[in-house]
């Protein structure tokens, strides 16, 4: 009902965003059920309790500040050593009286998240393509049909009647825009020049944005080695990425005004440009993050030797008490030297980025839309000019920015959930609150677009973007699974050379020899590569 109300006042293009948001919420609920049901809950119920091993214990030098709000807000301290992140999970092959294979489940669920998402996106695109998205009245006598056949005489509710009245009015505006665009004359040479100029300006913005993110990520690695850094230095990367995501789309939209496209075509160009912006920012962030991961892996070799040497000396030493040799008590987990656990650090970065994106989005709606609307509404009577018709006026709903924000937020969830299983739960709460918060903001603070236009298969265009970001999100995760060695002292794959070795271990231990031989043959690259090409 909320989406219908928005559609009747703002048109199908704005409603398509909320339909897409609702669909994303359903997909994330399933992913939430997979991760929490098969990874998080088994670890909580059957795994070792908190404080029983170094991976589940705050180090001694962090205990004093582990419960400070500023530390927890950065997902350090107790938050870092909780079920939210990869490092908490144990590498025991089976846990509990059920003999639950947690490492295997963690790996299969991580792969299953991408498999399920791919299946549901492609299936939705196919169903959208099969449905007729035409209105059936786009032929001759379009306006006559709308005039004489639009009203529903079975409506008996006053509120429904108001919505229907607004819907018919909006439908006329959409058809008028289409009619004007089809009959418009334009200077083709001037239009081409302006469009080339606009694209050059936007490419410069994209390059500057990528360089800025790479610069601040490298600087943050320097800050991480320093003591007593301030709040801004700790959160500089998240702040810069959120501000770029907030200010660049309106800048692109301003530049796009000189291109004079049909609103529907302009929306797709705007979506493509913001997609390029977010994609460049995300991959620049990942490349800089990979440099940090490589540094952590280099540190880990040294820390591994220190850890093993400390434990060896401690347990092989004896103390003389009253003339008798005794073995020292067990070393407390908080005192054991430990590696940097690069997987948890990656998960922390994704969670912090997601939370900062949520906060920036909500603050932008409150300040940029609601407070702006209140100022225009109440100060218009005593101002020097007409605030509603001139500056600042009421805000329009930014379809392209909101859609791309949703798509790239989902890309971060897909990438980050392997290193931070709790990230899916945060995203479910975000989508649930976004639906109602943004519906309220649209109806109370925004005005319809000056040129209302039909959605015209926008949902499938959104799905295409989502499919592309799904593929691009899979690449970094696949690279880390196949190429990077897991941390030696944290996470479900510790002690293995590669994360995927858990599959080989399961086949050798749990399957009959002939089944293991068949599965090993199927895993031959000579069969996998043709299968991948066939699917593509």
């Amino acid at each position: 009902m909320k989406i219908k109300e928005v559609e009747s006042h703002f048109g199908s293009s704005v409603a398509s965003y909320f339909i897409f948001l609702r669909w994303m919420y359903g997909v994330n609920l399933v992913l939430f059920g997979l991760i929490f049901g098969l990874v998080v809950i088994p670890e909580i119920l059957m795994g070792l309790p908190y404080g029983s091993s170094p991976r589940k214990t705050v180090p001694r030098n962090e205990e004093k500040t582990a419960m400070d709000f500023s530390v927890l807000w950065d997902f350090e301290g107790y938050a870092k050593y909780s079920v939210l992140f990869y490092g908490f999970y144990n590498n025991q092959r089976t846990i509990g009286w059920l003999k639950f294979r947690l490492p295997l489940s963690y790996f299969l669920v991580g792969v299953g998240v991408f498999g399920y998402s791919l299946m549901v996106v492609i299936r939705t695109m196919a169903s959208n393509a099969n449905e007729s998205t035409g209105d059936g009245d786009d032929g001759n006598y379009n306006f006559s049909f709308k005039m004489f056949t639009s009203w529903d005489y079975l409506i008996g509710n006053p509120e429904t009647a108001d919505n229907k009245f607004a819907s018919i009015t909006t439908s006329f505006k959409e058809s008028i825009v289409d009619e004007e665009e089809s009959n418009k004359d334009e200077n083709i040479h001037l239009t081409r020049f302006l469009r080339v100029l606009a694209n050059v300006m936007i490419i410069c913005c994209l390059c500057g944005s990528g360089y800025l993110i790479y610069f601040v990520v490298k600087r943050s690695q320097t800050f991480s080695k320093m003591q007593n850094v301030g709040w801004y230095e700790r959160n500089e990367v998240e702040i810069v990425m959120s501000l770029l995501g907030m200010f660049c789309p309106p800048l692109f939209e301003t530049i796009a005004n000189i291109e004079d496209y049909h609103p529907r075509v302009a929306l797709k160009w705007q979506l493509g440009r913001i997609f390029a912006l977010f994609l460049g920012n995300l991959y620049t962030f990942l490349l800089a993050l990979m440099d940090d991961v490589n540094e952590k892996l280099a540190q880990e070799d040294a820390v591994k030797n220190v850890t093993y040497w400390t434990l060896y000396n401690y347990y092989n030493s004896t103390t003389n008490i009253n003339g008798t040799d005794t073995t020292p008590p067990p070393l407390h987990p908080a005192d054991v030297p430990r590696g940097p656990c690069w997987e948890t650090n990656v998960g922390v970065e994704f969670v912090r980025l997601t939370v900062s994106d949520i906060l920036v989005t909500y603050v932008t709606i409150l300040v940029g839309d609601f407070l702006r609307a209140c100022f225009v509404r109440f100060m218009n009577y005593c101002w020097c000019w007409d605030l509603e018709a001139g500056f600042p006026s009421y805000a329009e709903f930014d379809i392209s920015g909101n859609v791309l924000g949703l798509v790239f937020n989902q890309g971060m969830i897909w990438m980050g959930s392997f290193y931070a299983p709790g990230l899916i739960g945060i995203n479910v709460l975000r989508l649930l609150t976004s639906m109602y918060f943004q519906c309220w903001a649209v109806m109370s603070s925004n005005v319809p677009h000056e040129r209302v236009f039909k959605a015209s298969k926008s949902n499938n265009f959104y799905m295409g973007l989502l499919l592309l970001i799904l593929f691009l999100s899979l690449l970094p995760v696949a690279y880390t699974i196949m190429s990077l060695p897991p941390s030696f002292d944290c996470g479900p794959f510790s002690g293995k050379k590669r994360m995927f070795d858990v599959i080989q271990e399961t086949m050798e231990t749990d399957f009959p020899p002939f089944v293991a031989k068949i599965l090993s043959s199927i895993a031959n690259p000579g069969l996998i590569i043709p299968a991948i090409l066939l699917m593509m």
Side-chain angles (χ1 to χ4, degrees), residues 239-272:
I239 292 171
V240 169
M241 289 190 71
S242 299
L243 289 177
L244 284 172
M246 183 169 65
F247 287 111
C248 284
L251 176 62
F252 290 173
E253 195 165 357
T254 304
I255 295 173
N257 287 335
I258 67 176
E259 294 179 304
D260 197 26
Y261 280 121
H262 182 284
R264 192 182 307 121
V265 178
L267 172 64
K268 291 185 177 180
W269 271 100
Q270 178 75 347
L271 284 168

Side-chain angles (χ1 to χ4, degrees), residues 10 16 39 49 139 154 158 172 222 264 268 271 328 461 463 467 514:
F10 290 84
S16 67
V39 175
L154 295 178
F172 268 101
T222 305
R264 192 182 307 121
K268 291 185 177 180
L271 284 168
F461 187 72
M463 290 295 167
L467 183 63
F514 74 92

Side-chain angles (χ1 to χ4, degrees), residues 202-271:
I202 286 169
I203 289 171
C204 292
C205 293
L206 293 175
C207 294
S209 169
Y211 174 77
L212 180 60
I213 287 177
Y214 188 80
F215 173 75
V216 296
V217 172
K218 296 298 287 183
R219 206 163 76 138
S220 73
Q221 294 167 11
T222 305
F223 288 145
S224 66
K225 300 170 186 174
M226 298 166 57
Q227 297 293 328
N228 300 323
V229 294
W231 177 84
Y232 174 76
E233 285 79 8
R234 290 198 308 271
N235 297 279
E236 186 179 42
V237 176
E238 291 76 20
I239 292 171
V240 169
M241 289 190 71
S242 299
L243 289 177
L244 284 172
M246 183 169 65
F247 287 111
C248 284
L251 176 62
F252 290 173
E253 195 165 357
T254 304
I255 295 173
N257 287 335
I258 67 176
E259 294 179 304
D260 197 26
Y261 280 121
H262 182 284
R264 192 182 307 121
V265 178
L267 172 64
K268 291 185 177 180
W269 271 100
Q270 178 75 347
L271 284 168

Side-chain angles (χ1 to χ4, degrees), residues 23-41:
W23 180 87
M24 289 294 302
Y25 177 70
V27 171
N28 278 271
L29 273 181
V30 176
L31 301 183
F32 175 80
L34 275 175
I35 289 181
F36 271 69
L38 295 174
V39 175
V40 177
I41 292 177

Side-chain angles (χ1 to χ4, degrees), residues 126-187:
S127 63
N128 286 347
N130 289 334
E131 293 175 2
S132 175
T133 54
D135 294 327
D137 57 356
D138 287 339
N140 297 324
Y141 315 115
N142 185 12
F143 292 97
S144 297
F145 283 136
K146 287 186 184 298
M147 173 67 73
F148 296 111
T149 65
S150 292
W151 188 254
D152 183 354
Y153 289 93
L154 295 178
I155 293 174
N157 182 285
E159 185 179 352
T160 307
D162 290 341
N163 284 345
K164 185 64 177 176
F165 174 79
S167 177
I168 294 171
T169 308
T170 304
S171 175
F172 268 101
K173 291 178 182 178
E174 292 175 339
S175 297
I176 289 170
V177 168
D178 286 340
E179 191 71 20
E180 287 175 343
E181 288 294 324
S182 64
N183 296 323
K184 185 173 67 176
D185 295 325
E186 58 183 16
N187 184 337

Side-chain angles (χ1 to χ4, degrees), residues 43-83:
E43 176 65 36
I44 292 173
L45 296 180
M46 295 181 284
L48 295 173
Y50 179 83
S52 58
S53 65
R55 71 186 69 204
K56 299 187 177 188
T57 310
V58 175
R60 189 73 70 190
N61 60 338
E62 298 178 20
E63 282 183 349
K64 290 182 179 178
T65 59
M67 278 298 289
D68 291 357
F69 176 77
S70 60
V71 173
L72 294 175
W73 183 252
D74 288 334
F75 292 92
E76 298 287 338
Y78 283 107
K80 185 175 181 180
Y81 300 95
S82 68
V83 291

